[in-house]
Amino acid sequence: MQSNSNPAPARPLAYALQQNIRRVIVGKDEAIELLLIALICRGHVLIEDVPGVGKTTMAAALARSLQCSFKRIQFTPDVTPSDVTGFTMVNMQSGEMEFKPGAVMSQIVLADEINRTSPKTQSSLLEVMEEGQVTVDGVTYKMPRPFMVMATQNPVDFVGTYPLPEAQMDRFFLKISVGYPSVEEEMDVLERYSGQTSPMETLSPVCGADEILAMQEQLGSVYASREARYYVATIVAQTRTHPALQLGASPRGAIALLRAAQACALLSSRDYVLPDDIRHMALPVLSHRLILTPEARMKGVSSQQVLAQLLETVPVPTGRV
């Protein structure tokens, strides 16, 4: 039975966030929308592209638009796991062990150039991203809410990078590619940054933590029918048998795709999922979870190409799903 709840309040808030971020980021509306969808779904985002296209700026602009605590971790080869999670030390005055929070203990965390640090440090983010908590010396500390990690990375073929392991890639709700701007967009960027004040310095929060949590709670009110769930399950199942894929999407990927489709519907002021919502979110949610076979990599095939081809073969449910 379809829910009768009204998802409309989420759209004005998301629009206000989008407009605020657009004061800094030019011509990347789809990437901004994906950031907001991840935020609504309590997910984490991996932003991958070449240096200088605005990965860090986009993440920082979202953080500045939220009245939440924010910390940035600049990953380098010498960053240690304790820098991320925190550590305990003796308080010289009281003589007792005291916890010193790491950089990840914040509502919004920017993990900048995550693939420039060691795999051991990368893995220190696993528990906190999945469980919303961090354990240091046997003591567990809950993360504040809302909690979101936005990680940026350069393509893996760049010098000095450490590819993220499959387990960590699967922890990211979706992956975003920013891309180069058009000539007109780049002219707009040059105009905005030609003055004495950076556009980033003029950003102020447009909503607080309570409003974000309320928007996240609305996600469950979006109806996903049996047909919609079957469509998601079929797409994911096809990735596990495709000849060009060595590893398909996990059940976590299927859950992420359905929730992303619900958020897509929510931002369209609908309380039910359409097939287009699922198709629209399939590439950013699933492509980074797929592992190509060596033969496919040698042929220059990408996971995005395989997934796009697969979506054309899976029958689309007709009508409202």
Side-chain angles (χ1 to χ4, degrees):
M1 183 175 179
Q2 187 176 312
S3 168
N4 292 321
S5 58
N6 182 14
R11 182 163 183 152
L13 183 58
Y15 180 76
L17 284 168
Q18 186 179 43
Q19 291 300 104
N20 207 47
I21 297 171
R22 288 179 66 186
R23 294 169 57 190
V24 176
I25 301 296
V26 179
K28 303 300 175 186
D29 290 349
E30 184 176 354
I32 296 171
E33 179 191 20
L34 291 175
L35 270 183
L36 298 179
I37 285 174
L39 179 65
I40 294 171
C41 295
R42 301 185 179 95
H44 309 292
V45 176
L46 180 63
I47 309 174
E48 181 185 270
D49 221 314
V50 295
V53 295
K55 302 185 299 294
T56 302
T57 303
M58 180 179 294
L62 175 60
R64 279 179 175 256
S65 300
L66 305 174
Q67 199 166 9
C68 299
S69 58
F70 169 64
K71 287 185 181 177
R72 172 179 172 176
I73 310 172
Q74 182 63 55
F75 280 103
T76 57
D78 59 347
V79 173
T80 65
S82 61
D83 294 328
V84 177
T85 60
F87 56 92
T88 54
M89 62 179 295
V90 177
N91 186 316
M92 300 306 293
Q93 293 181 340
S94 65
E96 297 180 352
M97 298 299 290
E98 186 176 296
F99 175 61
K100 298 293 183 181
V104 79
M105 299 295 289
S106 186
Q107 290 172 306
I108 307 295
V109 178
L110 171 56
D112 213 4
E113 296 191 290
I114 190 174
N115 62 338
R116 290 203 180 277
T117 195
S118 68
K120 185 176 181 180
T121 303
Q122 291 172 355
S123 65
S124 66
L125 280 174
L126 283 175
E127 180 191 12
V128 66
M129 289 174 61
E130 180 65 17
E131 304 295 338
Q133 62 186 31
V134 60
T135 302
V136 179
D137 293 336
V139 180
T140 298
Y141 303 90
K142 291 288 186 181
M143 303 303 296
R145 297 181 62 211
F147 173 63
M148 181 182 188
V149 173
M150 294 180 287
T152 70
Q153 73 169 8
N154 296 319
V156 294
D157 55 343
F158 271 58
V159 176
T161 59
Y162 301 83
L164 292 173
E166 290 84 357
Q168 181 133 347
M169 290 293 284
D170 202 34
R171 293 307 198 273
F172 286 102
F173 186 78
L174 52 80
K175 186 174 83 167
I176 298 173
S177 179
V178 179
Y180 287 115
S182 65
V183 173
E184 292 76 12
E185 291 167 350
E186 196 146 16
M187 287 177 63
D188 194 352
V189 170
L190 294 173
E191 181 181 355
R192 294 188 190 191
Y193 283 85
S194 62
Q196 295 181 342
T197 304
S198 167
M200 184 69 76
E201 296 176 12
T202 65
L203 285 189
S204 57
V206 297
C207 68
D210 289 343
E211 292 169 287
I212 296 299
L213 292 174
M215 188 163 58
Q216 292 175 345
E217 289 297 324
Q218 275 192 278
L219 190 66
S221 69
V222 178
Y223 177 68
S225 68
R226 186 182 186 281
E227 289 79 7
R229 300 193 299 273
Y230 181 78
Y231 188 39
V232 169
T234 304
I235 292 172
V236 170
Q238 290 289 326
T239 67
R240 299 168 187 162
T241 58
H242 197 285
L245 296 175
Q246 182 176 326
L247 184 67
S250 66
R252 182 189 287 117
I255 295 169
L257 178 54
L258 182 61
R259 292 185 68 80
Q262 288 176 293
C264 196
L266 192 66
L267 294 184
S268 299
S269 297
R270 274 184 283 107
D271 62 353
Y272 56 90
V273 173
L274 290 176
D276 283 348
D277 299 324
I278 298 169
R279 290 176 62 87
H280 178 63
M281 296 308 304
L283 262 67
V285 170
L286 297 181
S287 63
H288 64 288
R289 306 173 192 267
L290 309 179
I291 306 297
L292 295 165
T293 62
E295 296 78 12
R297 287 197 297 269
M298 288 180 62
K299 294 177 181 178
V301 176
S302 69
S303 59
Q304 290 89 345
Q305 290 172 328
V306 172
L307 193 53
Q309 180 189 49
L310 186 150
L311 286 171
E312 295 303 318
T313 64
V314 178
V316 180
T318 57
R320 181 184 297 185
V321 298

